[in-house]
Structures are given as structure tokens and as C-alpha cells.
Amino acid sequence: MANVDDTNLRQRIMRSNTHKDTGPEIRVRKLLHSLGYRFRLHRTDLPGKPDIVLPKSKLVIFVNGCFWHQHPGCPKASIPKTNIEFWKSKFQANRKRDIKNQIQLTEQGWQVVVIWECQTSDKEKLTKLLELYLK
């Protein structure tokens, strides 16, 4: 049986994970700003509250955590060894919600870009990726 202190600690750690203003998101925002782009953040009137919205380009960017959104092929997208069914269900619901939001945004005329957490660590590669979508 799990130690109560370990369970409480784990719960505090998991609750401390934020859904906005994450390190990867801030790296993307700083880079976009340095490239001269201006944007809005977390627009609640759009499906999924995209992390970054470039209204002039009709472009939305989601900066997804590899773990929470299960980036295919990424080592950070592991499934915890305990409570496996809970985590599988959680990740499946996240992916299903992501797809639904992306479809709705596309139907509204937005171009949807997903940048994965692991793609934000190399500034040069991230710059090339962003420029590809912004041209």
C-alpha cells in the first residue's frame, strides 16, 4: 500500500502543473516577439483557448506538453507505472479534446499549429519551424 505522505506529495506536485504560461510557451512567445510578431494569449472565445493567437495571420498555436498530450514517439510521453487505466483514460480524453478543438478552429477559418514541448529546447529549430508556418 502506498504511503499517505507519498500520495499527498504526488497530489501537490500534479496540482502545481499549470496549463498556461509554461516554460515552453514562454520560449515560443519570446521568440515570436523577437521576430516582430504581435499576438494575443489564451483567447477564451476560441475553442480550446489557444496558447497564442495571431489574429492578422488567422493562426493559432498550441504549445503542448509532451507528457500531458502524449507526443507520439517522444520519450517524455511515458505512461506512469501506477494507476495505468486512469492515465490511459486521461491521455485519451486529452487527445480527443485536442482533435475536437482543432477541427472547430479549422472550420472557423483558423490555421492550427501544434508545437510540442520538446521542440522548444532548440531555438534555431524552433525559429525555422515558426517561420515555416508564418510565411
Side-chain angles (χ1 to χ4, degrees):
M1 186 168 166
N3 186 339
V4 175
D5 292 332
D6 291 343
T7 303
N8 290 336
L9 175 62
R10 185 177 303 122
Q11 287 174 345
R12 278 200 316 273
I13 290 169
M14 296 311 266
R15 279 192 208 110
S16 71
N17 288 312
T18 60
H19 65 280
K20 61 181 183 179
D21 300 330
T22 62
E25 183 183 328
I26 290 171
R27 284 192 289 274
V28 173
R29 289 173 7 196
K30 283 183 177 182
L31 184 55
L32 281 170
H33 198 266
S34 73
L35 294 171
Y37 291 94
R38 300 300 173 257
F39 46 83
R40 297 286 169 245
L41 302 175
H42 312 290
R43 279 193 34 191
T44 57
D45 61 324
L46 294 176
K49 294 187 269 185
D51 299 313
I52 300 167
V53 180
L54 293 102
K56 289 182 182 178
S57 304
K58 201 77 168 153
L59 176 79
V60 297
I61 300 174
F62 289 95
V63 184
N64 285 350
C66 296
F67 174 76
W68 293 106
H69 297 268
Q70 290 293 285
H71 184 197
C74 181
K76 293 181 179 183
S78 63
I79 297 176
K81 302 286 184 230
T82 58
N83 210 358
I84 293 171
E85 289 308 312
F86 165 80
W87 286 109
K88 284 182 178 180
S89 174
K90 172 82 174 151
F91 295 145
Q92 183 179 13
N94 287 351
R95 286 192 304 268
K96 188 175 181 179
R97 185 184 64 243
D98 292 344
I99 291 168
K100 183 186 104 191
N101 290 332
Q102 291 172 14
I103 289 170
Q104 289 176 342
L105 286 161
T106 302
E107 288 173 347
Q108 292 178 17
W110 292 92
Q111 180 185 1
V112 178
V113 174
V114 175
I115 296 178
W116 293 97
E117 170 188 6
C118 62
Q119 293 175 313
T120 66
S121 57
D122 186 327
K123 189 175 179 179
E124 287 182 28
K125 287 182 182 177
L126 181 59
T127 302
K128 288 177 184 176
L129 180 65
L130 287 172
E131 287 175 340
L132 178 71
Y133 289 112
L134 294 166
K135 290 188 177 186

